[in-house]
Amino acid sequence: MTRLVLILLMSVSAFLASVAKESKPFVVVIDAGHGGKDIGCKGKLTNEKTIVLDVAKRLGGKISKKYGDKVKVVYTRSTDKFVELADRAKIANDAHGNLFISIHVNSVDKKSRGRTTVKGASVYTCGLHKSDANLRVAMRENSVMELEKNSRSRYKDFDPNSSESYIIFELTQNAHLNQSLDFASRAQRNLVKKAGRADKDVRQAGFWVLWSVSMPSVLVELDFICNPTSEKFLHSAAGKEKCATALFEAFDDYYKDQKKTQGK
């Protein structure tokens, strides 16, 4: 009798654990870059922090509308406020996120040739930058650290402007790289096909925030705000809606595949 009771208890425990696992929502963390005193890249009509917050909230709204309680949407910011890089990572990790999507807008230096004609979307995963252009993008996005108090001690003397600091990304393997690349490829494809952005490829670079989150993660550069035509698109409601829809459809496909994989 004792053995039978023990077997029954073990069976019930296993069943309850299985139910709990199935009922646990998938957590997507949506990170609207910059905010508050940090406007990000600036155009003639608008700025990065405004564009990406709008797209982030549209994306989150679409996910919540379709999936309800099955997917929990967590924002690192939902208003125009400054959030430190370390706090963005902490929000994502504390939420036990399953996917981290950081949304940004690209630009190039004012002295760069072709500044007003460069265009296209890129989706980055964390890794070793394979070109100077990728390194410059990572340096620009990481430089938000300089707006934070005690940044040197908080980021263990990581200098976003020194190429030597980026050796950390050469020595660290991202455990979630395959899944990150999977989502990045879907997002890049949709931004080109659904949002009509020029294809600047899936890339890798040393983004501190992607390195710091313990989940599959990507950083999306929607287009170049320094290009007047691209800025006009990003500034428009229709443009932001197309970008959000492209990212939502990428998430939709990725989520469905993840559920199939977990079901095996």
Side-chain angles (χ1 to χ4, degrees):
M1 179 66 71
T2 303
R3 184 179 179 184
L4 178 60
V5 171
L6 180 60
I7 291 173
L8 287 172
L9 287 173
M10 291 175 65
S11 298
V12 170
S13 178
F15 172 75
L16 291 175
S18 176
V19 170
K21 184 177 180 180
E22 290 180 1
S23 62
K24 185 179 179 181
F26 183 100
V27 179
V28 55
V29 182
I30 303 177
D31 174 48
H34 308 279
K37 63 184 179 181
D38 175 22
I39 66 172
C41 300
K42 186 178 181 181
K44 293 184 177 181
L45 301 174
T46 184
N47 55 57
E48 182 176 5
K49 70 171 185 177
T50 302
I51 294 168
V52 299
L53 180 59
D54 190 305
V55 173
K57 293 172 76 172
R58 287 174 189 262
L59 171 59
K62 292 176 186 296
I63 294 172
S64 295
K65 183 177 181 180
K66 178 164 185 177
Y67 288 106
D69 294 338
K70 292 182 180 178
V71 177
K72 180 180 179 181
V73 177
V74 175
Y75 298 98
T76 57
R77 71 177 182 99
S78 56
T79 60
D80 181 21
K81 68 176 182 179
F82 179 71
V83 181
E84 297 184 356
L85 280 184
D87 290 332
R88 293 173 191 267
K90 185 175 188 303
I91 289 168
N93 291 331
D94 287 351
H96 303 290
N98 299 103
L99 179 65
F100 180 85
I101 307 171
S102 188
I103 305 175
H104 292 258
V105 167
N106 216 337
S107 188
V108 293
D109 188 86
K110 291 182 179 180
K111 297 180 181 179
S112 298
R113 293 178 60 184
R115 185 173 189 270
T116 59
T117 57
V118 63
K119 61 183 179 180
S122 295
V123 182
Y124 287 84
T125 62
C126 186
L128 175 62
H129 53 274
K130 297 180 180 180
S131 73
D132 289 339
N134 290 7
L135 175 60
R136 286 195 295 271
V137 174
M139 284 182 165
R140 188 186 69 242
E141 300 297 0
N142 290 334
S143 66
V144 66
M145 295 175 181
E146 297 175 334
L147 298 177
E148 303 176 18
K149 295 180 179 179
N150 303 317
S151 62
R152 281 302 179 93
S153 59
R154 190 171 195 187
Y155 296 102
K156 299 179 180 179
D157 293 323
F158 178 88
D159 182 356
N161 299 308
S162 170
S163 59
E164 294 180 359
S165 288
Y166 288 79
I167 194 171
I168 188 175
F169 301 107
E170 295 185 52
L171 301 176
T172 305
Q173 293 295 320
N174 186 344
H176 305 286
L177 182 58
N178 288 339
Q179 288 172 292
S180 298
L181 287 170
D182 181 15
F183 180 79
S185 297
R186 297 170 194 261
Q188 182 68 23
R189 184 166 57 249
N190 279 358
L191 285 168
V192 173
K193 292 185 176 180
K194 303 296 177 66
R197 302 301 86 203
D199 191 356
K200 299 289 282 185
D201 303 322
V202 171
R203 305 183 177 198
Q204 288 184 290
F207 295 99
W208 192 91
V209 71
L210 298 187
W211 174 72
S212 299
V213 296
S214 56
M215 65 204 71
S217 57
V218 301
L219 187 144
V220 180
E221 296 281 6
L222 296 172
D223 209 329
F224 287 81
I225 198 172
C226 53
N227 178 321
T229 302
S230 297
E231 182 188 11
K232 185 176 180 181
F233 173 84
L234 294 170
H235 182 51
S236 70
K240 289 190 278 281
E241 178 66 15
K242 286 182 179 180
C243 289
T245 299
L247 294 176
F248 166 72
E249 292 185 7
F251 172 81
D252 192 34
D253 290 340
Y254 177 86
Y255 172 77
K256 289 175 181 175
D257 280 354
Q258 287 296 304
K259 299 306 288 184
K260 287 179 183 178
T261 301
Q262 291 174 10
K264 291 181 180 180

